[in-house]
Amino acid sequence: MTKEMPPKIIIPADPEHQALRFNRVREAHQTETAEDYVELIADLIETQGEARVVDLATRFGVSHATVNKVILRLNREGLVVNKKYRSLFLTDEGRELAAKCRERHQVVTDFLKAIGVPDDIAELDAEGVEHHVSAETLKIFKAFTRKTRKIS
Amino acid sequence: MTKEMPPKIIIPADPEHQALRFNRVREAHQTETAEDYVELIADLIETQGEARVVDLATRFGVSHATVNKVILRLNREGLVVNKKYRSLFLTDEGRELAAKCRERHQVVTDFLKAIGVPDDIAELDAEGVEHHVSAETLKIFKAFTRKTRKIS
DNA sequence: CTCAAAGTGTAGCCATGGCAACAAATTTGA
DNA sequence: TCAAATTTGTTGCCATGGCTACACTTTGAG
Ligand SMILES: [Mn+2]
Ligand SMILES: [Mn+2]
Ligand SMILES: [Mn+2]
Ligand SMILES: [Mn+2]
């Protein structure tokens, strides 16, 4: 990384350029589990008072064993605090990430609705799309939604 | 699954409804490797005359061993035909999927550019987003791009 | 024609995130 | 209170898609 790239001309068919795209998608996949987990944990703490393994399992549609394994990783990565047989908490870093993800999720959902996607479909699509939208695109989404709302 | 759900009212905070969203994302992840592979194989056959393992590796930014393993799966799934030490071919099903994915990829890229996302960023984002966009949303993307093009 | 380089295949390792089955702790309600 | 139900934890299995190292085949330059 950080080779010298003087004028940085992008040739779309350039193999290395293509590799960059796929690398970025793979990176997104690395982080998206963590993102969805901290987001849902934050939501549960707000709406239910606490985040329990069994609720995460139901909401994600996976077994509690799977949740447990992921939580172990998130703990290792410093996003989640868990004491045995107790409900889950977020670290400061986890809370920060959750806030960022919730905001982003909302921007994507609102945008899809703004361009006319039915609410239920917008919510389905946003769950996946959110993890692949760059900051620049997000900004454009936000501006578009704002503009549309002023009109209507 | 397939419990009786008479009027099917969607409550956004409903845990089962939430599980549906995440299940859909997981399904997309199951298929997206296959999608990107057949799309790139089709492109290489068109532009280079043949699709070779080493080119796929370069374009995806992974080792040739990884490509080989994925190709094995795609062969098992009836999308790719490969003879030892020979270049890769698509089955009819593979070609069909490739065409569908290329079209979808193009629609997403064009849409992002149409709403003002810079070309290079649009191409980055599209590579991930394409796999999470429903048919309904795609239709709306297409209509929006068409409309925008008429204006400009 | 030869043989070195390039390409391909394979084995074995890893991390992630699925699962079922079983074990342990906690909570609940009779 | 205390036993049953619920929740949580753990183990061991699987598939995917990463990697390196090494083996084999094909290709092409000299
Ligand atoms: Mn989300
Ligand atoms: Mn998501
Ligand atoms: Mn694509
Ligand atoms: Mn893609």
Side-chain angles (χ1 to χ4, degrees):
Chain A
M1 291 298 107
T2 56
K3 285 184 209 167
E4 70 276 6
M5 19 177 107
K8 189 163 188 175
I9 296 161
I10 291 166
I11 304 154
D14 171 25
E16 284 185 34
H17 176 248
Q18 219 161 342
L20 281 185
R21 283 194 344 227
F22 292 110
N23 265 308
R24 191 156 161 284
V25 175
R26 282 192 294 271
E27 273 166 35
H29 287 161
Q30 281 298 314
T31 50
E32 79 178 81
T33 302
E35 293 175 345
D36 287 337
Y37 268 71
V38 296
E39 188 185 348
L40 185 47
I41 290 171
D43 279 356
L44 285 173
I45 288 175
E46 270 194 31
T47 64
Q48 314 292 309
E50 61 178 0
R52 294 161 55 248
V53 169
V54 67
D55 294 323
L56 287 174
T58 305
R59 305 294 236 266
F60 282 126
V62 300
S63 74
H64 80 277
T66 296
V67 171
N68 244 300
K69 201 178 287 189
V70 173
I71 291 300
L72 237 63
R73 173 162 86 84
L74 301 186
N75 178 290
R76 191 181 356 119
E77 291 176 358
L79 294 169
V80 167
V81 182
N82 58 323
K83 281 192 289 197
K84 273 199 167 191
Y85 298 101
R86 293 295 158 205
S87 71
L88 307 168
F89 297 92
L90 295 175
T91 62
D92 289 352
E93 194 188 336
R95 247 186 309 275
E96 232 173 278
L97 181 61
K100 206 190 70 182
C101 290
R102 174 190 294 183
E103 150 84 358
R104 188 189 59 185
H105 195 138
Q106 194 64 48
V107 169
V108 173
T109 308
D110 289 349
F111 173 76
L112 290 176
K113 290 177 181 173
I115 63 171
V117 178
D119 286 13
D120 52 341
I121 295 177
E123 269 145 30
L124 278 178
D125 287 7
E127 192 61 74
V129 167
E130 56 169 346
H131 308 280
H132 301 277
V133 169
S134 64
E136 292 89 338
T137 301
L138 260 190
K139 216 181 296 176
I140 290 168
F141 278 12
K142 220 184 294 189
F144 187 97
T145 304
R146 212 178 324 118
K147 200 173 57 181
T148 304
R149 286 211 175 121
K150 270 184 193 154
I151 293 166
S152 63
Chain B
M1 292 297 106
T2 57
K3 285 184 207 169
E4 69 275 7
M5 21 177 105
K8 187 162 191 177
I9 296 160
I10 291 167
I11 303 152
D14 171 25
E16 285 186 33
H17 176 250
Q18 218 162 343
L20 281 185
R21 286 199 336 232
F22 291 111
N23 266 308
R24 191 157 161 285
V25 175
R26 282 192 295 271
E27 275 167 34
H29 287 163
Q30 281 298 312
T31 50
E32 77 181 274
T33 301
E35 292 175 345
D36 287 336
Y37 268 71
V38 296
E39 189 185 347
L40 185 47
I41 290 171
D43 279 357
L44 285 173
I45 289 175
E46 270 194 32
T47 65
Q48 314 292 309
E50 59 178 0
R52 308 159 57 77
V53 170
V54 67
D55 295 322
L56 287 174
T58 306
R59 306 292 235 269
F60 282 126
V62 299
S63 72
H64 80 276
T66 297
V67 171
N68 243 298
K69 201 178 285 189
V70 173
I71 291 300
L72 236 64
R73 173 163 86 84
L74 300 186
N75 177 291
R76 188 175 5 111
E77 291 175 357
L79 294 169
V80 167
V81 182
N82 60 321
K83 282 192 289 196
K84 272 200 167 190
Y85 299 101
R86 292 297 159 201
S87 71
L88 308 167
F89 296 92
L90 295 174
T91 62
D92 289 351
E93 194 187 337
R95 246 187 311 276
E96 232 174 278
L97 182 60
K100 207 190 71 184
C101 291
R102 173 190 295 183
E103 150 85 358
R104 189 190 57 188
H105 194 137
Q106 193 63 49
V107 169
V108 173
T109 308
D110 289 349
F111 172 76
L112 290 176
K113 290 177 181 173
I115 63 171
V117 178
D119 286 14
D120 53 339
I121 295 177
E123 269 145 31
L124 277 178
D125 287 8
E127 192 60 73
V129 168
E130 56 170 346
H131 308 281
H132 301 278
V133 168
S134 64
E136 291 90 338
T137 301
L138 259 190
K139 218 181 297 177
I140 290 169
F141 279 11
K142 219 183 296 188
F144 187 96
T145 304
R146 211 177 326 116
K147 201 174 55 181
T148 304
R149 285 214 176 119
K150 270 184 192 153
I151 291 168
S152 61

